[in-house]
Amino acid sequence: MQVTESSADGLKRELTITVGAQDLEDKLSAKLEELKGQVRLKGFRPGKVPMSHLRRTFGKQVMTEVIQQTVSESSQKALEDKELRPALQPSIDIEGEVEPMIEGKADLVFKMSFEIVPEIELADFSKVKLERPVAEVPEDDVKEAIDRLAEQQVSYEKKDGKAEEKDQVVIDFVGKLDGEPFEGGAAEDARLVLGSGQFIPGFEDQLLGTEAGQDVEVKVTFPEEYGAEHLAGKDAVFEVKVKEVQAPAAAKLDDEFAQRFGMENFDKLREAIEEQIKKDYDRVSRENVKRVLLDELDALHSFELPPTLVEQEFEQIWQQFEHELEHQGKTVADADEPEDKLREEYKGIAERRVRLGLVLAEVGEKNKIQVQDAEVNQAIAERARQFPGQERQVYEYFTKTPQAIAQIRAPLFEEKVVDFILELADVTEKPVSKDELLASMQDEHDHDHDHDHDHGEKKKPAAKKKTAAKKTAAKKDEGDEGEKKPAAKKKTAAKKTATKKTAAKKTAAKKKDED
């Protein structure tokens, strides 16, 4: 094999590799010899097929395989011999006609074009000075979390007197259209919290002031957009019997209350909640210092970037940007800035991504930082837990999709490298208030990331995304089904929020599992 560097321009390289026809012939003969003991041909005993017959029957097919294998092996060896690190998969271009090569009449000659990873002189990370904002957990935050738990654990006690807002009534009802009962319009011993918005507008209001044993005629109009077409927009009358009125009773914050969440006593519950809030603060603190670190790394390193790598990154960002605009019913012409300026800005983001990606990869390689299979499996398990009932499908998807595994491994590697650098850097803690700490997180959400692993850059405001508050509200509404009660509308956002697990409740459940 002969290797000639036919072109070297900046980071671009082109190698011309020649493999002699005799070398190909030797490999072909070896392959046919292996085949001789395996092939079964009519008229020949096993292992007794003449080589000449094998050549006539399988020669071209086997030589094609030999050429493909030779290209792969020789290109890899050429890179290793010359100690070149391609930034992307090299492109291969076979020179001349392939048929003479297959017939063994010509050498295999091909060009391998690629861009190399530049030489990167890493900064002295011990000289990097960073501040990590840290905040103590206010007592009010712990109390507020416990109060939210208590609200979710509210119970009701029978009371004498009239039903008021937030009281629960136990009712039987029959709904009628034009005097005739309609399907699904009746229930017995239904429990309804007045003011909860569980039933269609106007229903609950007409039960305010009622008492146990009272019969009430509730007149309502179903909303035009009501799910059942035969009821949408119709006037209806519900004959309601109030069987009992119950007042809400605040949960007692004691050991028994804590045990509902798997905690030994109330103090343990409080500690678990405080610990979870502290973990949330620490996560925000780390993300903040990581963002500043990446800014420092970007500023401290300057080297030539592989053009194709930058172009591919830019195209990915730009396509995502156009897709976002399309989703909003807009085009680039509707953006906040001229297209040429936007392209320039996003090109800068692409260059930053590539630069930081190469720096982090260099740190990882030089310091032998690796992501273990156990860490990947743990991350997949965490991802699977996000899809209850579909865990097996999630596992199968990742085991069968190498690209998906790479998407799991990449952020794990990045976090390990960042942790490594932070250990070397001069990091001092800066006490801040809770509001100051969370403001940085809110700012990050408002600007949003371009994708999962954007190395900390903030997106330009060309196509504004939802604020964190809007995204949270939208997320809470996704996938929630309303209670399928007769004459009841779907749960409101407030109702859905109240029924979701809080972070504290999750923490309690997690603690129980660990114990």
Side-chain angles (χ1 to χ4, degrees), residues 171-177 180-188 190 199-200 203 218 220 222 226 228 230-231 236-241 484-488:
I171 58 176
D172 294 343
F173 61 81
V174 177
K176 296 182 178 181
L177 292 177
E180 294 295 327
F182 57 85
E183 183 181 357
E188 294 182 355
F199 282 23
I200 59 177
F203 191 103
V218 175
V220 295
F222 283 93
Y226 194 72
H230 68 291
L231 298 177
V237 176
F238 285 85
E239 297 174 358
V240 181
K241 182 174 187 61
K484 296 181 179 179
K485 293 184 178 180

PDB file of all heavy atoms in Angstrom, residues 171-177 180-188 190 199-200 203 218 220 222 226 228 230-231 236-241 484-488:
ATOM      1  N   ILE A 171     -74.192  14.374  46.246  1.00  0.00           N
ATOM      2  CA  ILE A 171     -75.460  14.589  45.540  1.00  0.00           C
ATOM      3  C   ILE A 171     -75.842  13.395  44.661  1.00  0.00           C
ATOM      4  O   ILE A 171     -74.981  12.640  44.197  1.00  0.00           O
ATOM      5  CB  ILE A 171     -75.395  15.854  44.650  1.00  0.00           C
ATOM      6  CG1 ILE A 171     -74.239  15.740  43.633  1.00  0.00           C
ATOM      7  CG2 ILE A 171     -75.237  17.109  45.489  1.00  0.00           C
ATOM      8  CD1 ILE A 171     -74.171  16.902  42.645  1.00  0.00           C
ATOM      9  N   ASP A 172     -77.140  13.248  44.442  1.00  0.00           N
ATOM     10  CA  ASP A 172     -77.689  12.425  43.369  1.00  0.00           C
ATOM     11  C   ASP A 172     -78.254  13.394  42.344  1.00  0.00           C
ATOM     12  O   ASP A 172     -78.803  14.448  42.716  1.00  0.00           O
ATOM     13  CB  ASP A 172     -78.834  11.532  43.871  1.00  0.00           C
ATOM     14  CG  ASP A 172     -78.362  10.485  44.869  1.00  0.00           C
ATOM     15  OD1 ASP A 172     -77.140  10.233  44.928  1.00  0.00           O
ATOM     16  OD2 ASP A 172     -79.221   9.935  45.604  1.00  0.00           O
ATOM     17  N   PHE A 173     -78.120  13.068  41.055  1.00  0.00           N
ATOM     18  CA  PHE A 173     -78.717  13.970  40.068  1.00  0.00           C
ATOM     19  C   PHE A 173     -79.147  13.203  38.826  1.00  0.00           C
ATOM     20  O   PHE A 173     -78.611  12.127  38.506  1.00  0.00           O
ATOM     21  CB  PHE A 173     -77.760  15.110  39.695  1.00  0.00           C
ATOM     22  CG  PHE A 173     -76.468  14.683  39.070  1.00  0.00           C
ATOM     23  CD1 PHE A 173     -76.395  14.357  37.716  1.00  0.00           C
ATOM     24  CD2 PHE A 173     -75.305  14.630  39.826  1.00  0.00           C
ATOM     25  CE1 PHE A 173     -75.182  13.991  37.145  1.00  0.00           C
ATOM     26  CE2 PHE A 173     -74.107  14.257  39.263  1.00  0.00           C
ATOM     27  CZ  PHE A 173     -74.034  13.938  37.910  1.00  0.00           C
ATOM     28  N   VAL A 174     -80.152  13.777  38.159  1.00  0.00           N
ATOM     29  CA  VAL A 174     -80.635  13.265  36.881  1.00  0.00           C
ATOM     30  C   VAL A 174     -80.766  14.442  35.934  1.00  0.00           C
ATOM     31  O   VAL A 174     -81.474  15.417  36.231  1.00  0.00           O
ATOM     32  CB  VAL A 174     -81.998  12.549  37.018  1.00  0.00           C
ATOM     33  CG1 VAL A 174     -82.494  12.105  35.644  1.00  0.00           C
ATOM     34  CG2 VAL A 174     -81.897  11.369  37.960  1.00  0.00           C
ATOM     35  N   GLY A 175     -80.094  14.366  34.800  1.00  0.00           N
ATOM     36  CA  GLY A 175     -80.161  15.438  33.817  1.00  0.00           C
ATOM     37  C   GLY A 175     -81.212  15.147  32.759  1.00  0.00           C
ATOM     38  O   GLY A 175     -81.373  14.003  32.325  1.00  0.00           O
ATOM     39  N   LYS A 176     -81.943  16.193  32.333  1.00  0.00           N
ATOM     40  CA  LYS A 176     -83.000  16.008  31.342  1.00  0.00           C
ATOM     41  C   LYS A 176     -82.913  17.066  30.246  1.00  0.00           C
ATOM     42  O   LYS A 176     -82.594  18.229  30.512  1.00  0.00           O
ATOM     43  CB  LYS A 176     -84.373  16.080  32.017  1.00  0.00           C
ATOM     44  CG  LYS A 176     -84.622  14.969  33.032  1.00  0.00           C
ATOM     45  CD  LYS A 176     -86.012  15.070  33.629  1.00  0.00           C
ATOM     46  CE  LYS A 176     -86.269  13.912  34.608  1.00  0.00           C
ATOM     47  NZ  LYS A 176     -87.646  13.997  35.182  1.00  0.00           N
ATOM     48  N   LEU A 177     -83.202  16.627  29.016  1.00  0.00           N
ATOM     49  CA  LEU A 177     -83.355  17.517  27.866  1.00  0.00           C
ATOM     50  C   LEU A 177     -84.806  17.454  27.435  1.00  0.00           C
ATOM     51  O   LEU A 177     -85.325  16.356  27.146  1.00  0.00           O
ATOM     52  CB  LEU A 177     -82.455  17.075  26.709  1.00  0.00           C
ATOM     53  CG  LEU A 177     -80.931  17.205  26.890  1.00  0.00           C
ATOM     54  CD1 LEU A 177     -80.215  16.654  25.664  1.00  0.00           C
ATOM     55  CD2 LEU A 177     -80.526  18.650  27.120  1.00  0.00           C
ATOM     56  N   GLU A 180     -86.842  14.853  29.144  1.00  0.00           N
ATOM     57  CA  GLU A 180     -86.471  13.446  29.020  1.00  0.00           C
ATOM     58  C   GLU A 180     -85.035  13.236  29.501  1.00  0.00           C
ATOM     59  O   GLU A 180     -84.130  13.977  29.081  1.00  0.00           O
ATOM     60  CB  GLU A 180     -86.597  12.972  27.573  1.00  0.00           C
ATOM     61  CG  GLU A 180     -88.014  12.964  27.039  1.00  0.00           C
ATOM     62  CD  GLU A 180     -88.886  11.953  27.767  1.00  0.00           C
ATOM     63  OE1 GLU A 180     -88.346  10.889  28.181  1.00  0.00           O
ATOM     64  OE2 GLU A 180     -90.092  12.221  27.941  1.00  0.00           O
ATOM     65  N   PRO A 181     -84.794  12.225  30.370  1.00  0.00           N
ATOM     66  CA  PRO A 181     -83.415  11.951  30.814  1.00  0.00           C
ATOM     67  C   PRO A 181     -82.529  11.607  29.611  1.00  0.00           C
ATOM     68  O   PRO A 181     -82.982  10.974  28.649  1.00  0.00           O
ATOM     69  CB  PRO A 181     -83.568  10.744  31.743  1.00  0.00           C
ATOM     70  CG  PRO A 181     -85.008  10.785  32.187  1.00  0.00           C
ATOM     71  CD  PRO A 181     -85.778  11.322  31.023  1.00  0.00           C
ATOM     72  N   PHE A 182     -81.295  12.038  29.652  1.00  0.00           N
ATOM     73  CA  PHE A 182     -80.366  11.725  28.561  1.00  0.00           C
ATOM     74  C   PHE A 182     -79.266  10.791  29.070  1.00  0.00           C
ATOM     75  O   PHE A 182     -78.966  10.739  30.263  1.00  0.00           O
ATOM     76  CB  PHE A 182     -79.761  12.994  27.951  1.00  0.00           C
ATOM     77  CG  PHE A 182     -79.031  13.874  28.917  1.00  0.00           C
ATOM     78  CD1 PHE A 182     -77.688  13.649  29.231  1.00  0.00           C
ATOM     79  CD2 PHE A 182     -79.676  14.951  29.521  1.00  0.00           C
ATOM     80  CE1 PHE A 182     -77.018  14.470  30.114  1.00  0.00           C
ATOM     81  CE2 PHE A 182     -79.001  15.781  30.404  1.00  0.00           C
ATOM     82  CZ  PHE A 182     -77.667  15.537  30.707  1.00  0.00           C
ATOM     83  N   GLU A 183     -78.705  10.048  28.152  1.00  0.00           N
ATOM     84  CA  GLU A 183     -77.694   9.052  28.484  1.00  0.00           C
ATOM     85  C   GLU A 183     -76.479   9.695  29.149  1.00  0.00           C
ATOM     86  O   GLU A 183     -75.964  10.709  28.688  1.00  0.00           O
ATOM     87  CB  GLU A 183     -77.241   8.304  27.220  1.00  0.00           C
ATOM     88  CG  GLU A 183     -76.246   7.192  27.496  1.00  0.00           C
ATOM     89  CD  GLU A 183     -75.810   6.495  26.220  1.00  0.00           C
ATOM     90  OE1 GLU A 183     -76.339   6.846  25.137  1.00  0.00           O
ATOM     91  OE2 GLU A 183     -74.940   5.604  26.317  1.00  0.00           O
ATOM     92  N   GLY A 184     -76.029   9.092  30.259  1.00  0.00           N
ATOM     93  CA  GLY A 184     -74.851   9.596  30.959  1.00  0.00           C
ATOM     94  C   GLY A 184     -75.123  10.814  31.806  1.00  0.00           C
ATOM     95  O   GLY A 184     -74.186  11.435  32.309  1.00  0.00           O
ATOM     96  N   GLY A 185     -76.385  11.156  31.993  1.00  0.00           N
ATOM     97  CA  GLY A 185     -76.707  12.379  32.727  1.00  0.00           C
ATOM     98  C   GLY A 185     -77.132  12.151  34.154  1.00  0.00           C
ATOM     99  O   GLY A 185     -77.729  13.049  34.764  1.00  0.00           O
ATOM    100  N   ALA A 186     -76.874  10.973  34.688  1.00  0.00           N
ATOM    101  CA  ALA A 186     -77.316  10.693  36.056  1.00  0.00           C
ATOM    102  C   ALA A 186     -76.188  10.081  36.866  1.00  0.00           C
ATOM    103  O   ALA A 186     -75.291   9.420  36.325  1.00  0.00           O
ATOM    104  CB  ALA A 186     -78.517   9.747  36.037  1.00  0.00           C
ATOM    105  N   ALA A 187     -76.215  10.318  38.173  1.00  0.00           N
ATOM    106  CA  ALA A 187     -75.222   9.730  39.079  1.00  0.00           C
ATOM    107  C   ALA A 187     -75.771   9.743  40.486  1.00  0.00           C
ATOM    108  O   ALA A 187     -76.650  10.544  40.826  1.00  0.00           O
ATOM    109  CB  ALA A 187     -73.911  10.504  39.006  1.00  0.00           C
ATOM    110  N   GLU A 188     -75.245   8.833  41.291  1.00  0.00           N
ATOM    111  CA  GLU A 188     -75.616   8.780  42.697  1.00  0.00           C
ATOM    112  C   GLU A 188     -74.372   8.931  43.560  1.00  0.00           C
ATOM    113  O   GLU A 188     -73.286   8.464  43.192  1.00  0.00           O
ATOM    114  CB  GLU A 188     -76.310   7.443  43.020  1.00  0.00           C
ATOM    115  CG  GLU A 188     -77.646   7.269  42.332  1.00  0.00           C
ATOM    116  CD  GLU A 188     -78.315   5.958  42.720  1.00  0.00           C
ATOM    117  OE1 GLU A 188     -77.672   5.163  43.449  1.00  0.00           O
ATOM    118  OE2 GLU A 188     -79.459   5.727  42.305  1.00  0.00           O
ATOM    119  N   ALA A 190     -72.481  11.353  44.051  1.00  0.00           N
ATOM    120  CA  ALA A 190     -71.383  12.104  43.431  1.00  0.00           C
ATOM    121  C   ALA A 190     -70.875  13.146  44.416  1.00  0.00           C
ATOM    122  O   ALA A 190     -71.662  13.802  45.116  1.00  0.00           O
ATOM    123  CB  ALA A 190     -71.857  12.769  42.147  1.00  0.00           C
ATOM    124  N   PHE A 199     -67.758  20.677  37.206  1.00  0.00           N
ATOM    125  CA  PHE A 199     -68.958  20.557  36.391  1.00  0.00           C
ATOM    126  C   PHE A 199     -69.074  21.759  35.460  1.00  0.00           C
ATOM    127  O   PHE A 199     -68.340  22.740  35.583  1.00  0.00           O
ATOM    128  CB  PHE A 199     -70.196  20.445  37.284  1.00  0.00           C
ATOM    129  CG  PHE A 199     -70.388  19.066  37.875  1.00  0.00           C
ATOM    130  CD1 PHE A 199     -69.319  18.189  38.006  1.00  0.00           C
ATOM    131  CD2 PHE A 199     -71.631  18.643  38.301  1.00  0.00           C
ATOM    132  CE1 PHE A 199     -69.493  16.916  38.555  1.00  0.00           C
ATOM    133  CE2 PHE A 199     -71.823  17.374  38.853  1.00  0.00           C
ATOM    134  CZ  PHE A 199     -70.755  16.513  38.973  1.00  0.00           C
ATOM    135  N   ILE A 200     -70.004  21.683  34.521  1.00  0.00           N
ATOM    136  CA  ILE A 200     -70.141  22.737  33.526  1.00  0.00           C
ATOM    137  C   ILE A 200     -70.524  24.052  34.197  1.00  0.00           C
ATOM    138  O   ILE A 200     -71.095  24.070  35.296  1.00  0.00           O
ATOM    139  CB  ILE A 200     -71.184  22.356  32.456  1.00  0.00           C
ATOM    140  CG1 ILE A 200     -72.549  22.108  33.092  1.00  0.00           C
ATOM    141  CG2 ILE A 200     -70.721  21.149  31.665  1.00  0.00           C
ATOM    142  CD1 ILE A 200     -73.645  21.801  32.085  1.00  0.00           C
ATOM    143  N   PHE A 203     -73.423  25.158  37.096  1.00  0.00           N
ATOM    144  CA  PHE A 203     -73.950  24.038  37.877  1.00  0.00           C
ATOM    145  C   PHE A 203     -73.619  24.223  39.357  1.00  0.00           C
ATOM    146  O   PHE A 203     -74.509  24.160  40.223  1.00  0.00           O
ATOM    147  CB  PHE A 203     -73.362  22.730  37.352  1.00  0.00           C
ATOM    148  CG  PHE A 203     -74.025  21.502  37.911  1.00  0.00           C
ATOM    149  CD1 PHE A 203     -74.930  20.777  37.147  1.00  0.00           C
ATOM    150  CD2 PHE A 203     -73.756  21.050  39.201  1.00  0.00           C
ATOM    151  CE1 PHE A 203     -75.558  19.645  37.656  1.00  0.00           C
ATOM    152  CE2 PHE A 203     -74.369  19.920  39.718  1.00  0.00           C
ATOM    153  CZ  PHE A 203     -75.275  19.213  38.941  1.00  0.00           C
ATOM    154  N   VAL A 218     -81.461  22.460  38.891  1.00  0.00           N
ATOM    155  CA  VAL A 218     -80.333  23.229  38.347  1.00  0.00           C
ATOM    156  C   VAL A 218     -80.502  23.363  36.831  1.00  0.00           C
ATOM    157  O   VAL A 218     -80.602  22.348  36.121  1.00  0.00           O
ATOM    158  CB  VAL A 218     -78.985  22.538  38.667  1.00  0.00           C
ATOM    159  CG1 VAL A 218     -77.832  23.273  37.996  1.00  0.00           C
ATOM    160  CG2 VAL A 218     -78.773  22.489  40.181  1.00  0.00           C
ATOM    161  N   VAL A 220     -78.940  24.661  33.315  1.00  0.00           N
ATOM    162  CA  VAL A 220     -77.645  25.011  32.713  1.00  0.00           C
ATOM    163  C   VAL A 220     -77.746  24.919  31.192  1.00  0.00           C
ATOM    164  O   VAL A 220     -78.699  24.345  30.646  1.00  0.00           O
ATOM    165  CB  VAL A 220     -76.518  24.067  33.187  1.00  0.00           C
ATOM    166  CG1 VAL A 220     -76.266  24.206  34.673  1.00  0.00           C
ATOM    167  CG2 VAL A 220     -76.835  22.628  32.827  1.00  0.00           C
ATOM    168  N   PHE A 222     -75.216  23.655  28.089  1.00  0.00           N
ATOM    169  CA  PHE A 222     -73.931  23.030  27.771  1.00  0.00           C
ATOM    170  C   PHE A 222     -73.131  23.924  26.822  1.00  0.00           C
ATOM    171  O   PHE A 222     -73.712  24.537  25.908  1.00  0.00           O
ATOM    172  CB  PHE A 222     -74.144  21.666  27.113  1.00  0.00           C
ATOM    173  CG  PHE A 222     -74.522  20.585  28.080  1.00  0.00           C
ATOM    174  CD1 PHE A 222     -75.857  20.286  28.330  1.00  0.00           C
ATOM    175  CD2 PHE A 222     -73.534  19.876  28.747  1.00  0.00           C
ATOM    176  CE1 PHE A 222     -76.205  19.286  29.227  1.00  0.00           C
ATOM    177  CE2 PHE A 222     -73.869  18.873  29.650  1.00  0.00           C
ATOM    178  CZ  PHE A 222     -75.217  18.583  29.896  1.00  0.00           C
ATOM    179  N   TYR A 226     -68.773  21.548  23.796  1.00  0.00           N
ATOM    180  CA  TYR A 226     -68.843  20.377  24.675  1.00  0.00           C
ATOM    181  C   TYR A 226     -68.551  19.106  23.886  1.00  0.00           C
ATOM    182  O   TYR A 226     -68.938  18.962  22.718  1.00  0.00           O
ATOM    183  CB  TYR A 226     -70.223  20.298  25.329  1.00  0.00           C
ATOM    184  CG  TYR A 226     -70.285  19.327  26.491  1.00  0.00           C
ATOM    185  CD1 TYR A 226     -69.671  19.637  27.697  1.00  0.00           C
ATOM    186  CD2 TYR A 226     -70.936  18.108  26.371  1.00  0.00           C
ATOM    187  CE1 TYR A 226     -69.730  18.750  28.770  1.00  0.00           C
ATOM    188  CE2 TYR A 226     -70.997  17.213  27.432  1.00  0.00           C
ATOM    189  CZ  TYR A 226     -70.380  17.542  28.634  1.00  0.00           C
ATOM    190  OH  TYR A 226     -70.427  16.669  29.678  1.00  0.00           O
ATOM    191  N   ALA A 228     -69.622  15.974  23.960  1.00  0.00           N
ATOM    192  CA  ALA A 228     -70.729  15.152  23.463  1.00  0.00           C
ATOM    193  C   ALA A 228     -71.598  15.997  22.532  1.00  0.00           C
ATOM    194  O   ALA A 228     -72.248  16.959  22.964  1.00  0.00           O
ATOM    195  CB  ALA A 228     -71.550  14.613  24.626  1.00  0.00           C
ATOM    196  N   HIS A 230     -74.431  15.535  21.102  1.00  0.00           N
ATOM    197  CA  HIS A 230     -75.873  15.595  21.339  1.00  0.00           C
ATOM    198  C   HIS A 230     -76.235  16.523  22.500  1.00  0.00           C
ATOM    199  O   HIS A 230     -77.423  16.816  22.725  1.00  0.00           O
ATOM    200  CB  HIS A 230     -76.435  14.187  21.593  1.00  0.00           C
ATOM    201  CG  HIS A 230     -75.976  13.568  22.876  1.00  0.00           C
ATOM    202  ND1 HIS A 230     -74.668  13.167  23.087  1.00  0.00           N
ATOM    203  CD2 HIS A 230     -76.654  13.296  24.032  1.00  0.00           C
ATOM    204  CE1 HIS A 230     -74.559  12.666  24.308  1.00  0.00           C
ATOM    205  NE2 HIS A 230     -75.740  12.732  24.905  1.00  0.00           N
ATOM    206  N   LEU A 231     -75.197  16.984  23.242  1.00  0.00           N
ATOM    207  CA  LEU A 231     -75.448  17.903  24.356  1.00  0.00           C
ATOM    208  C   LEU A 231     -74.927  19.309  24.085  1.00  0.00           C
ATOM    209  O   LEU A 231     -75.374  20.270  24.727  1.00  0.00           O
ATOM    210  CB  LEU A 231     -74.790  17.356  25.629  1.00  0.00           C
ATOM    211  CG  LEU A 231     -75.297  15.998  26.144  1.00  0.00           C
ATOM    212  CD1 LEU A 231     -74.493  15.574  27.367  1.00  0.00           C
ATOM    213  CD2 LEU A 231     -76.782  16.059  26.486  1.00  0.00           C
ATOM    214  N   ALA A 236     -80.362  22.318  29.561  1.00  0.00           N
ATOM    215  CA  ALA A 236     -80.689  21.113  30.315  1.00  0.00           C
ATOM    216  C   ALA A 236     -81.123  21.475  31.727  1.00  0.00           C
ATOM    217  O   ALA A 236     -80.791  22.548  32.249  1.00  0.00           O
ATOM    218  CB  ALA A 236     -79.483  20.166  30.360  1.00  0.00           C
ATOM    219  N   VAL A 237     -81.873  20.575  32.316  1.00  0.00           N
ATOM    220  CA  VAL A 237     -82.307  20.740  33.703  1.00  0.00           C
ATOM    221  C   VAL A 237     -81.858  19.514  34.484  1.00  0.00           C
ATOM    222  O   VAL A 237     -82.075  18.381  34.053  1.00  0.00           O
ATOM    223  CB  VAL A 237     -83.840  20.887  33.805  1.00  0.00           C
ATOM    224  CG1 VAL A 237     -84.265  20.953  35.269  1.00  0.00           C
ATOM    225  CG2 VAL A 237     -84.313  22.122  33.050  1.00  0.00           C
ATOM    226  N   PHE A 238     -81.208  19.747  35.601  1.00  0.00           N
ATOM    227  CA  PHE A 238     -80.760  18.652  36.459  1.00  0.00           C
ATOM    228  C   PHE A 238     -81.578  18.666  37.754  1.00  0.00           C
ATOM    229  O   PHE A 238     -81.644  19.684  38.446  1.00  0.00           O
ATOM    230  CB  PHE A 238     -79.272  18.799  36.795  1.00  0.00           C
ATOM    231  CG  PHE A 238     -78.360  18.443  35.669  1.00  0.00           C
ATOM    232  CD1 PHE A 238     -78.029  19.384  34.702  1.00  0.00           C
ATOM    233  CD2 PHE A 238     -77.833  17.163  35.557  1.00  0.00           C
ATOM    234  CE1 PHE A 238     -77.183  19.065  33.664  1.00  0.00           C
ATOM    235  CE2 PHE A 238     -76.989  16.829  34.515  1.00  0.00           C
ATOM    236  CZ  PHE A 238     -76.663  17.780  33.551  1.00  0.00           C
ATOM    237  N   GLU A 239     -82.187  17.540  38.018  1.00  0.00           N
ATOM    238  CA  GLU A 239     -82.883  17.375  39.289  1.00  0.00           C
ATOM    239  C   GLU A 239     -81.867  16.838  40.285  1.00  0.00           C
ATOM    240  O   GLU A 239     -81.395  15.701  40.170  1.00  0.00           O
ATOM    241  CB  GLU A 239     -84.059  16.414  39.115  1.00  0.00           C
ATOM    242  CG  GLU A 239     -85.111  16.946  38.156  1.00  0.00           C
ATOM    243  CD  GLU A 239     -86.200  15.933  37.872  1.00  0.00           C
ATOM    244  OE1 GLU A 239     -86.104  14.790  38.402  1.00  0.00           O
ATOM    245  OE2 GLU A 239     -87.146  16.265  37.143  1.00  0.00           O
ATOM    246  N   VAL A 240     -81.533  17.659  41.260  1.00  0.00           N
ATOM    247  CA  VAL A 240     -80.439  17.349  42.182  1.00  0.00           C
ATOM    248  C   VAL A 240     -80.983  17.195  43.600  1.00  0.00           C
ATOM    249  O   VAL A 240     -81.765  18.023  44.077  1.00  0.00           O
ATOM    250  CB  VAL A 240     -79.368  18.459  42.163  1.00  0.00           C
ATOM    251  CG1 VAL A 240     -78.218  18.114  43.103  1.00  0.00           C
ATOM    252  CG2 VAL A 240     -78.843  18.674  40.748  1.00  0.00           C
ATOM    253  N   LYS A 241     -80.527  16.122  44.262  1.00  0.00           N
ATOM    254  CA  LYS A 241     -80.846  15.946  45.681  1.00  0.00           C
ATOM    255  C   LYS A 241     -79.550  16.071  46.464  1.00  0.00           C
ATOM    256  O   LYS A 241     -78.595  15.324  46.234  1.00  0.00           O
ATOM    257  CB  LYS A 241     -81.471  14.591  45.943  1.00  0.00           C
ATOM    258  CG  LYS A 241     -81.862  14.402  47.412  1.00  0.00           C
ATOM    259  CD  LYS A 241     -82.622  13.118  47.628  1.00  0.00           C
ATOM    260  CE  LYS A 241     -83.159  13.025  49.056  1.00  0.00           C
ATOM    261  NZ  LYS A 241     -84.080  14.114  49.385  1.00  0.00           N
ATOM    262  N   LYS A 484     -64.402  11.720  33.619  1.00  0.00           N
ATOM    263  CA  LYS A 484     -65.537  11.420  32.754  1.00  0.00           C
ATOM    264  C   LYS A 484     -66.801  11.290  33.603  1.00  0.00           C
ATOM    265  O   LYS A 484     -67.289  10.197  33.885  1.00  0.00           O
ATOM    266  CB  LYS A 484     -65.272  10.149  31.957  1.00  0.00           C
ATOM    267  CG  LYS A 484     -64.092  10.313  31.002  1.00  0.00           C
ATOM    268  CD  LYS A 484     -63.834   9.062  30.199  1.00  0.00           C
ATOM    269  CE  LYS A 484     -62.675   9.260  29.246  1.00  0.00           C
ATOM    270  NZ  LYS A 484     -62.381   8.039  28.470  1.00  0.00           N
ATOM    271  N   LYS A 485     -67.304  12.443  34.023  1.00  0.00           N
ATOM    272  CA  LYS A 485     -68.522  12.452  34.826  1.00  0.00           C
ATOM    273  C   LYS A 485     -69.652  13.007  33.973  1.00  0.00           C
ATOM    274  O   LYS A 485     -69.435  13.906  33.164  1.00  0.00           O
ATOM    275  CB  LYS A 485     -68.346  13.328  36.070  1.00  0.00           C
ATOM    276  CG  LYS A 485     -67.334  12.759  37.058  1.00  0.00           C
ATOM    277  CD  LYS A 485     -67.285  13.616  38.293  1.00  0.00           C
ATOM    278  CE  LYS A 485     -66.320  13.062  39.319  1.00  0.00           C
ATOM    279  NZ  LYS A 485     -66.254  13.897  40.527  1.00  0.00           N
ATOM    280  N   PRO A 486     -70.872  12.550  34.181  1.00  0.00           N
ATOM    281  CA  PRO A 486     -72.008  13.109  33.458  1.00  0.00           C
ATOM    282  C   PRO A 486     -72.114  14.593  33.773  1.00  0.00           C
ATOM    283  O   PRO A 486     -72.023  15.006  34.924  1.00  0.00           O
ATOM    284  CB  PRO A 486     -73.205  12.330  34.016  1.00  0.00           C
ATOM    285  CG  PRO A 486     -72.610  11.066  34.572  1.00  0.00           C
ATOM    286  CD  PRO A 486     -71.264  11.459  35.066  1.00  0.00           C
ATOM    287  N   ALA A 487     -72.351  15.368  32.743  1.00  0.00           N
ATOM    288  CA  ALA A 487     -72.525  16.816  32.895  1.00  0.00           C
ATOM    289  C   ALA A 487     -71.306  17.509  33.452  1.00  0.00           C
ATOM    290  O   ALA A 487     -71.383  18.653  33.849  1.00  0.00           O
ATOM    291  CB  ALA A 487     -73.724  17.118  33.797  1.00  0.00           C
ATOM    292  N   ALA A 488     -70.171  16.800  33.540  1.00  0.00           N
ATOM    293  CA  ALA A 488     -68.969  17.424  34.090  1.00  0.00           C
ATOM    294  C   ALA A 488     -68.040  17.797  32.968  1.00  0.00           C
ATOM    295  O   ALA A 488     -67.855  17.052  32.031  1.00  0.00           O
ATOM    296  CB  ALA A 488     -68.271  16.470  35.055  1.00  0.00           C
TER     297      ALA A 488
END
